[in-house]
Amino acid sequence: MTHTTKTERRRDLETPHWRDHERSVERGLSRGVQPKGLPALLAWFREVSEGELPTAIHKAGVWRDHGPDAEGGSKLGTPASSDAFRRLTEGTSSQLDGDGCYLFPLRAALERMARTGRPLTARALYRLALHQGDWRALADQLSYPDEFMELYIERALFHCWREYATERRLT
């Protein structure tokens, strides 16, 4: 007889329903319903942070800069940056598209959080995005106990979601 832990039994019970749960969370997010709990907040955060990243760094062609304000270029063939990558690296978080919506709404929300009294929280969430939503890896990197980081990240994501949702309604 094999002995399973309570955690393993719980995982085995939830596994068949995980896909349905993920679809339910996605439907709620598409309607603008606030995600409840850390797993739903992390799913939302990963989705919006990955959605702001360009799919390509370079585009076809060689980067050449001509004219009186030329900053460089290359006769050797420096690859040209894609427009999406250039906007990400050279632009600001408050950039708007033709419809008046933020090009980078999560980035704008984090910047607003940093300016309005939560700079450490914004920085932690930025680092969480670099870890692709893996809060345990972030806790290890910062040498924080998992118990502390789990509570902190859940509350930080709650504040981020509120800021993100507010800015989406205002634009």
Side-chain angles (χ1 to χ4, degrees), residues 38 69 90 116 162:
L38 184 58
D69 297 324
E90 296 174 5
T116 59
R162 279 187 20 194

Side-chain angles (χ1 to χ4, degrees), residues 69-146:
D69 297 324
E71 295 180 13
S74 174
K75 292 182 180 184
L76 297 176
T78 301
S81 297
S82 71
D83 292 334
F85 182 72
R86 186 183 47 73
R87 279 192 297 271
L88 179 69
T89 57
E90 296 174 5
T92 65
S93 62
S94 58
Q95 283 179 284
L96 302 176
D97 64 12
D99 296 328
C101 298
Y102 287 107
L103 286 175
F104 307 108
L106 180 62
R107 193 171 158 191
L110 291 175
E111 182 179 316
R112 256 199 331 277
M113 286 176 68
R115 282 184 291 142
T116 59
R118 297 189 186 279
L120 298 177
T121 303
R123 187 176 308 150
L125 291 174
Y126 171 77
R127 291 177 78 170
L128 181 65
L130 294 177
H131 283 280
Q132 293 145 354
D134 186 351
W135 63 268
R136 286 184 178 92
L138 179 60
D140 289 344
Q141 183 186 42
L142 298 174
S143 300
Y144 289 158
D146 282 355

Side-chain angles (χ1 to χ4, degrees), residues 4-21:
T4 58
T5 66
K6 185 175 180 180
T7 304
E8 291 169 337
R9 288 192 305 268
R10 168 61 65 190
R11 186 195 64 230
D12 292 343
L13 282 172
E14 292 176 349
T15 300
H17 308 287
W18 187 251
R19 193 175 302 271
D20 292 334
H21 173 72

Side-chain angles (χ1 to χ4, degrees), residues 23 26 42 48 72 94-95 98 160-161:
R23 278 190 231 130
E26 287 174 20
L42 282 170
V48 296
S94 58
Q95 283 179 284
C160 184
W161 184 88

